Amino acid sequence: DIFIGPISPLAYKAIKPYASIPKIWIEPFKPNQQIHTDNYYAVLPNKQTYVAHLTHYVKQQDSATCIVVSSPLYRDTALVNRTYRDWYHFSLTSQKDFIVKKLSNSHKPLKEVENALSVGRKNFVVFFTENEPEVAEFISKLRLSTEDYDIHILILPSWKQFDLNTEYLHRLQALR
């Protein structure tokens, strides 16, 4: 199921009970914190809110390897650094088994990600780039590693505009 909207406060109130049901996708027209409960399928239009929401989902795992990758072309370094700091701080202060790796300004992100993946653990990869050819090549090649690793790629809001292979995204257990 998918909900497009809501737009008014009354509509948010009506849809809020559905926001906590897994696998119901919600596509709001504008960010509203009241609706973003624990449903990581809720699509958030604001990058910062979106990444914070996915980070919250990742923190619910008992153990994971979290890999933060940024392209040299990506300009929002503050968001990259904030995501890394949040995950790293969580890895130090929680009782959970988290490994956090940061690959900044990577000219060969795929090779570095493959070296950072952990066998027998969930691997959450967030690739900060808004360059469609770079994204397409990255997911095309990374999906070949899914036989050896449990990979979950976190999709940025801008990627919704890209013409990406949905089969590859499914194999990479894409979270949006």
Side-chain angles (χ1 to χ4, degrees), residues 38-108:
D38 290 332
N39 185 358
Y40 65 93
Y41 286 94
V43 180
L44 311 176
N46 174 293
K47 275 191 295 193
Q48 289 79 11
T49 307
Y50 168 81
V51 172
H53 192 69
L54 285 178
T55 297
H56 176 74
Y57 170 74
V58 170
K59 289 178 179 180
Q60 303 305 310
Q61 309 306 308
D62 291 327
S63 68
T65 297
C66 303
I67 304 168
V68 179
V69 188
S70 66
S71 164
L73 304 173
Y74 193 71
R75 292 191 176 119
D76 193 354
T77 56
L79 180 60
V80 175
N81 292 332
R82 187 172 36 253
T83 303
Y84 172 73
R85 278 193 313 268
D86 189 28
W87 285 1
Y88 185 71
H89 177 56
F90 180 76
S91 74
L92 295 176
T93 58
S94 78
Q95 300 297 319
K96 297 184 177 187
D97 182 19
F98 267 69
I99 298 171
V100 181
K101 301 176 182 180
K102 183 179 179 188
L103 312 172
S104 294
N105 297 320
S106 181
H107 291 282
K108 296 188 178 198

Side-chain angles (χ1 to χ4, degrees), residues 65-69 87 113 117 123-127 138 142 151-155 159:
T65 297
C66 303
I67 304 168
V68 179
V69 188
W87 285 1
V113 167
L117 294 170
N123 293 276
F124 291 94
V125 179
V126 58
F127 183 27
F138 184 77
L142 184 61
I151 302 172
H152 301 260
I153 191 161
L154 286 64
I155 297 176
W159 294 14

